[in-house]
Amino acid sequence: MSETPSEELGYEQARDRLVEVVRELEAGGLSLEQSLALWEKGEKLAKVCERHLEGARERIEAALASVEDGEGDSAQ
């Protein structure tokens, strides 16, 4: 079974995989190469999460702006 590329994951999937990466790193017992590979995977997953959160932030700001614009129209 192949893994979905990080870029295609939804926020929750990327977050859950990132949690697993952190657990593996914290558990220790890995070689330096394994630890570095996991770290790199974690960095990619964190960036995916950040992109999703930024997109959500932009949507919220746009929704708030449209509500504020609507309130300004009704005051006239």
Side-chain angles (χ1 to χ4, degrees):
M1 184 169 112
S2 63
E3 271 193 20
T4 304
S6 297
E7 301 79 27
E8 296 177 16
L9 294 174
Y11 172 77
E12 290 81 5
Q13 291 172 309
R15 181 202 58 215
D16 291 346
R17 287 193 186 174
L18 180 56
V19 167
E20 287 301 316
V21 166
V22 170
R23 282 187 187 138
E24 287 183 56
L25 286 169
E26 288 178 342
L30 302 170
S31 70
L32 179 59
E33 277 304 312
Q34 291 170 319
S35 294
L36 286 173
L38 269 177
W39 180 269
E40 290 168 344
K41 181 179 179 178
E43 286 292 320
K44 288 178 185 177
L45 290 166
K47 287 179 184 176
V48 170
C49 289
E50 287 175 15
R51 281 195 303 272
H52 282 291
L53 291 173
E54 182 58 33
R57 185 178 300 114
E58 289 171 3
R59 288 176 63 189
I60 290 169
E61 289 172 357
L64 288 174
S66 70
V67 167
E68 289 172 0
D69 288 345
E71 287 175 359
D73 292 341
S74 63
Q76 291 177 346

